[in-house]
Amino acid sequence: MLGKYFLARKMHLGVTLCLVISIVCSAALEQGRSSWTGKLLVVPMDGSHWTGVKAVAEEMGRRGHTVIVVIPEISMRLGPGKHYITKTFPVTYGKDLIDQMIGKHVGELTEPEQSLLKSVSLKVDFMRNAFNYMASTTESLFKNHELIEFLREQNFDAVLTDPALPMGAILAYNLSVPAVYMLRGLLCEAAATGSPDPPSYIPRFFTQNSDRMSFSQRVLNVFVSMLEPLICKFVYWPFEELTSNFLQRDVSLIEILSTGAVWLMRYDFSLEFPKPLMPNMQLIGGINCGIRNPLKKVTITFILAT
């Protein structure tokens, strides 16, 4: 009986992964593709994170799937598209708050070279302010009962989101819908994915180490790895109470993030250090940037000539 149970669980996981990958990746060719169409909910993160997610949302809508994108009324870059439906919700802040955050961040990035301690403190402070802003956005969505009820009635097949803003992951967890993450990186990535993460081999955030470290760099790497759980808890703290109130029970964000069905990682080992991956983590390459026009023939000729 126990063997049959684990076999059934394994088959259920396999079916779920196949469904999610078919919805998000749409691997079928344009000719001869299936007439089946699904429903995809997109809960994006603002800023450069939106570029890759928007491209997927547009392409999925163009291929005949029903795509609904949920965004706040005030944002940096989020907005409507040609091939997807946009649902907006009001927020408690104005455009001036976003402009102030961007200005402060640009000032920090343009400062002269800083010590590790100052660099970490500035980044943590910026992330804290950013996550407070995102927590306010999340609270506004979760309190919009009309929109939440509308989303429940849609019976989505999957949720596409960036887990750096856990709003989409929490919503997918609440709707009992497979979550597909598209991301560049995550502070609590190892804990959420379950990937092996040895500090002697995997560089930590803020250290600027590579995967080939000296002894002193390894010591620093181990020290930072010991602080990561505390930093992760500190950064995501504004979401803890929101999550408990929305789900009507106590649950950690790491537990919610770990339920992600597929992780679409926006990097490639040809440009970055190698590290262990789990079977549901797929490297899709690229970074958080828009698609540019192809090079002109004159430019290509010049490059080859030089």
Side-chain angles (χ1 to χ4, degrees):
M1 291 295 292
L2 187 60
K4 291 182 178 180
Y5 171 78
F6 283 116
L7 178 61
R9 292 281 296 179
K10 188 175 182 180
M11 291 178 63
H12 176 71
L13 176 61
V15 171
T16 301
L17 287 175
C18 289
L19 173 63
V20 172
I21 292 174
S22 67
I23 293 173
V24 177
C25 299
S26 290
L29 297 175
E30 193 69 26
Q31 295 180 350
R33 66 179 182 177
S34 172
S35 59
W36 177 86
T37 57
K39 278 190 172 183
L40 178 67
L41 172 62
V42 180
V43 186
M45 181 175 175
D46 205 353
S48 60
H49 297 252
W50 166 233
T51 52
V53 174
K54 181 180 181 179
V56 173
E58 288 278 18
E59 181 63 17
M60 293 296 292
R62 189 187 69 81
R63 296 192 180 197
H65 301 282
T66 300
V67 181
I68 297 179
V69 180
V70 177
I71 60 175
E73 288 182 344
I74 298 175
S75 65
M76 288 180 282
R77 306 186 64 177
L78 303 176
K82 183 179 180 181
H83 299 291
Y84 58 81
I85 303 168
T86 305
K87 293 291 183 180
T88 61
F89 58 93
V91 290
T92 57
Y93 52 81
K95 192 70 165 59
D96 55 331
L97 175 63
I98 297 178
D99 295 338
Q100 182 181 358
M101 288 179 55
I102 295 175
K104 184 177 181 180
H105 187 48
V106 170
E108 293 171 356
L109 293 176
T110 54
E111 283 188 8
E113 187 175 348
Q114 305 159 347
S115 65
L116 175 63
L117 180 60
K118 185 175 181 181
S119 175
V120 170
S121 67
L122 287 175
K123 285 182 172 63
V124 169
D125 183 62
F126 170 76
M127 292 176 66
R128 180 177 60 83
N129 292 331
F131 273 81
N132 284 334
Y133 149 72
M134 291 189 290
S136 176
T137 305
T138 302
E139 183 178 17
S140 298
L141 173 62
F142 290 170
K143 287 185 175 181
N144 195 318
H145 302 294
E146 182 179 350
L147 178 56
I148 295 296
E149 189 59 33
F150 167 80
L151 297 177
R152 283 201 179 98
E153 294 171 354
Q154 300 308 302
N155 296 319
F156 291 104
D157 296 293
V159 175
L160 175 64
T161 187
D162 189 324
L165 171 60
M167 178 172 68
I170 299 169
L171 188 57
Y173 187 88
N174 179 257
L175 298 176
S176 298
V177 176
V180 180
Y181 301 144
M182 178 180 284
L183 68 157
R184 174 67 180 156
L186 192 67
L187 183 62
C188 311
E189 182 180 312
T193 61
S195 301
D197 197 37
S200 61
Y201 178 62
I202 307 298
R204 283 4 223 197
F205 271 79
F206 310 128
T207 62
Q208 298 181 348
N209 291 337
S210 70
D211 59 316
R212 298 182 179 182
M213 294 174 276
S214 64
F215 177 76
S216 59
Q217 288 175 325
R218 292 180 190 275
V219 172
L220 175 62
N221 215 49
V222 170
F223 176 72
V224 175
S225 69
M226 296 170 62
L227 295 178
E228 275 187 349
L230 296 177
I231 297 175
C232 184
K233 185 74 173 178
F234 173 74
V235 168
Y236 281 115
W237 176 80
F239 292 93
E240 294 290 343
E241 186 176 356
L242 291 175
T243 304
S244 298
N245 292 336
F246 182 60
L247 300 177
Q248 295 298 304
R249 69 183 185 90
D250 292 333
V251 56
S252 69
L253 277 174
I254 295 301
E255 178 183 344
I256 292 175
L257 292 174
S258 65
T259 61
V262 177
W263 294 68
L264 302 177
M265 315 299 293
R266 295 185 62 83
Y267 55 74
D268 189 272
F269 287 161
S270 61
L271 297 176
E272 303 183 53
F273 59 85
K275 62 180 181 180
L277 298 176
M278 298 301 283
N280 63 339
M281 299 172 67
Q282 300 294 325
L283 301 184
I284 61 175
I287 56 176
N288 296 324
C289 62
I291 299 174
R292 294 293 180 244
N293 296 327
L295 294 175
K296 297 179 180 179
K297 291 183 179 181
V298 176
T299 307
I300 295 175
T301 305
F302 174 77
I303 293 175
L304 293 176
T306 56

